[in-house]
Amino acid sequence: KEENLNPSVNLDYFDLAYGAKKEGMVSMSGTKKTTKLLKAIEKYHNTNLTGAKFERVCASSTILERIWSMTLAADSKLNPRNNPDNYDEMRLDFEKSASTKLCKLDVAKTLNNPAWKNFFDA
């Protein structure tokens, strides 16, 4: 099994907590309190909301195409012997990431969701 030396980190719960703090809905002072809040958000999301997907903000198609072009240019320089047929699989992975990993939580929409308002009002 190949070890991922550069794993991605999901910041959704932190972004939601920080957005709630900016809106005056919660206090996040100190590491212990922040950690406790993040755990409570995660538990609420996974238990009460059964892990429902968050609304996301994604890059425009123009930005995504620029990123894809830079990816191809870098790959051809770093792997000059790489077969262009491999780009089809790379493109599929890129398109999947373009609607998931390359998107951020839409904090404003999430905080306006009645279920999340209820959580932060409690």
Side-chain angles (χ1 to χ4, degrees):
K1 182 178 175 185
E2 189 175 312
E3 182 182 351
N4 186 349
L5 299 177
N6 189 16
S8 62
V9 176
N10 185 322
L11 297 174
D12 288 347
Y13 299 132
F14 181 83
D15 289 346
L16 186 57
Y18 186 71
K21 178 186 181 204
K22 282 177 49 179
E23 293 295 320
M25 300 167 90
V26 294
S27 169
M28 278 177 42
S29 56
T31 305
K32 279 186 177 181
K33 193 168 186 177
T34 300
T35 301
K36 186 176 178 181
L37 175 61
L38 293 175
K39 286 180 180 179
I41 290 171
E42 181 176 11
K43 182 179 179 184
Y44 180 78
H45 181 236
N46 289 323
T47 305
N48 296 54
L49 303 180
T50 60
K53 289 188 177 189
F54 285 117
E55 297 255 2
R56 307 197 86 64
V57 178
C58 301
S60 70
S61 58
T62 303
I63 298 291
L64 291 172
E65 283 308 313
R66 287 177 57 197
I67 294 170
W68 176 245
S69 294
M70 292 187 319
T71 300
L72 289 179
D75 186 70
S76 66
K77 286 181 182 175
L78 295 171
N79 303 303
R81 295 186 192 138
N82 198 1
N83 185 340
D85 291 339
N86 294 338
Y87 292 152
D88 289 341
E89 187 175 336
M90 278 177 58
R91 182 65 189 210
L92 290 174
D93 289 343
F94 178 79
E95 287 178 5
K96 180 180 176 189
S97 294
S99 62
T100 56
K101 294 179 183 179
L102 296 177
C103 301
K104 280 194 64 79
L105 172 72
D106 189 327
V107 175
K109 281 187 179 178
T110 303
L111 289 176
N112 282 315
N113 177 306
W116 283 106
K117 278 186 174 185
N118 183 48
F119 171 80
F120 287 111
D121 286 344

